[in-house]
Amino acid sequence: IVASFALALFGIYSIRAESHILEFFPDTHRVPTNYRAIEKNLMGLTPIDIVFSGPRDVLLSDKALASYKRFFSEVTKAEPMVRQLVSILIEPTRQKQLEFVLTPEELREAIASEELPAAIGHFLVIDGNRITLRSTLLTTTDSSNAVFGLIERLRARLAANTLDSTVTGEIGGQTPLLIEGQVLLLRTQIESFGIALAVTALVVFAGFRSVRIALLALLPNIVPIALTLGFMGWAGIALNTATVTVAGIALGLIVDDTIHFLYRYLNARKTLQPPEAVGFALFTMGKAAIVSSGAVALGFALFAFSPFRPTAYFGLLIAITAISASICDLVFLPALLARNQSSGPRV
């Protein structure tokens, strides 16, 4: 168990936290196949909105619009993920040299005469003296880390491209929102697991009134989860919005056998020495623990046959955790208790 735990630590060190929606499907599935074909031959399918907002006289000036064109020209040249720009000002093209569809003068005249088509309202909003101009970068669909890196580089370019204190440049749209949601979910799930682990220790302490027993109860629950995370690292399974929930769910499933074993062990310690009390606990609940863990492992293992990879990984990882937890509860925990001659009061 110690050697397995050491290997798991190396696996945890190499685990990556990211998601890639195209990797959720088999390579031959129509979703990734169609996405790659479209993005190779037509256009990017992941949109990132860039929104500039400022006073009309500033945002529509020749200097501001020249900077606007320069900004997107630099982005399309520097970022391989960016395939196209959708804008009412820039001609939609896959070329790196961008050209105005409307010259700055033509745009100012169209706004002044209020002759802009209604469809332009999706890209240009006029509110009194303030104008909001939205443009969309169409990028290739990549991993969450790659898209997050692109968004951060765009934010840095926007910060360096400020024209005036009255003009703001922001990044919006569904893609940044999805990425931020994934990052938040990963962070909160990790925090929730830590809280759940602490609450479990407190409940065990309250039930058995022993700090030593509470700490011993944590070990056979931490080790299986560490082994599962280590397996993810060695197998190249990323920590994403689906697999990050494994640790918290597994903790709720595997702590039951630990509590049942400790309850029988501490009752037996009233009349028996630790080795005999361990044997009594194993004899009275070992078979039930094996059957329950086997049922959980088998039930979740069926998900491994799903063609949707997050579901398959989730079922496989829960099954691995259930099996390793059963081994820890029936081998590791009894060994700890048998060697700990002062485990629990003897009445």
Side-chain angles (χ1 to χ4, degrees):
I1 290 179
V2 173
S4 300
F5 187 72
L7 288 173
L9 292 180
F10 282 104
I12 293 173
Y13 179 77
S14 61
I15 198 170
R16 55 192 174 94
E18 69 172 0
S19 63
H20 194 323
I21 191 170
L22 296 185
E23 293 183 357
F24 288 174
F25 304 88
D27 293 335
T28 56
H29 193 276
R30 60 183 177 84
V31 170
T33 301
N34 292 345
Y35 259 72
R36 294 187 179 102
I38 293 172
E39 292 184 336
K40 179 180 179 181
N41 300 297
L42 295 176
M43 57 186 289
L45 294 175
T46 298
I48 299 176
D49 292 338
I50 310 291
V51 180
F52 290 97
S53 181
R56 178 185 301 195
D57 57 343
V58 176
L59 195 57
L60 296 182
S61 66
D62 290 342
K63 178 182 177 182
L65 293 177
S67 179
Y68 170 90
K69 176 182 174 182
R70 183 172 60 253
F71 170 82
F72 285 110
S73 296
E74 292 174 354
V75 167
T76 54
K77 290 177 181 178
E79 299 293 347
M81 288 178 61
V82 177
R83 300 299 305 278
Q84 289 167 299
L85 169 67
V86 178
S87 168
I88 62 168
L89 297 180
I90 303 294
E91 182 178 357
T93 176
R94 293 176 58 183
Q95 304 299 320
K96 300 302 181 183
Q97 186 64 38
L98 303 181
E99 298 295 340
F100 278 118
V101 176
L102 293 174
T103 65
E105 183 62 31
E106 290 173 338
L107 177 63
R108 289 191 289 267
E109 291 178 357
I111 292 176
S113 63
E114 299 182 353
E115 295 179 355
L116 292 174
I120 287 181
H122 295 290
F123 297 93
L124 183 66
V125 177
I126 303 174
D127 184 12
N129 191 45
R130 192 166 186 84
I131 287 182
T132 300
L133 179 63
R134 179 172 71 87
S135 305
T136 302
L137 293 172
L138 298 180
T139 71
T140 54
T141 305
D142 211 321
S143 71
S144 59
N145 289 349
V147 177
F148 182 78
L150 173 61
I151 292 172
E152 289 301 303
R153 292 192 297 273
L154 290 174
R155 286 199 174 106
R157 286 182 179 274
L158 284 173
N161 196 64
T162 302
L163 298 173
D164 187 273
S165 60
T166 59
V167 176
T168 60
E170 299 177 351
I171 295 177
Q174 295 181 351
T175 300
L177 182 63
L178 178 62
I179 297 298
E180 293 292 341
Q182 290 177 345
V183 172
L184 180 62
L185 180 59
L186 284 171
R187 183 167 63 247
T188 54
Q189 283 290 340
I190 293 172
E191 293 172 354
S192 297
F193 171 73
I195 295 173
L197 194 63
V199 170
T200 300
L202 289 175
V203 170
V204 173
F205 169 75
F208 297 114
R209 301 179 183 275
S210 170
V211 175
R212 184 186 297 109
I213 292 299
L215 294 177
L216 288 175
L218 287 181
L219 289 175
N221 290 278
I222 293 176
V223 170
I225 294 172
L227 293 176
T228 301
L229 294 175
F231 171 78
M232 290 175 61
W234 287 110
I237 300 175
L239 193 66
N240 54 41
T241 53
T243 57
V244 74
T245 60
V246 168
I249 294 174
L251 180 63
L253 292 174
I254 65 183
V255 73
D256 289 349
D257 288 342
T258 303
I259 293 176
H260 288 310
F261 186 92
L262 287 173
Y263 177 77
R264 286 170 172 77
Y265 168 80
L266 292 176
N267 274 344
R269 277 289 286 129
K270 296 176 180 179
T271 57
L272 300 174
Q273 291 295 326
E276 290 80 10
V278 165
F280 173 81
L282 283 173
F283 180 79
T284 56
M285 62 81 62
K287 184 177 180 180
I290 293 173
V291 172
S292 64
S293 298
V296 169
L298 182 60
F300 279 99
L302 294 176
F303 287 108
F305 296 99
S306 170
F308 189 60
R309 285 178 177 168
T311 301
Y313 288 153
F314 176 80
L316 176 64
L317 295 173
I318 290 289
I320 291 174
T321 307
I323 293 172
S324 58
S326 179
I327 295 173
C328 286
D329 279 331
L330 300 180
V331 178
F332 185 40
L333 180 59
L336 289 175
L337 293 172
R339 290 179 61 85
N340 185 14
Q341 297 299 318
S342 60
S343 296
R346 182 173 182 177
V347 180

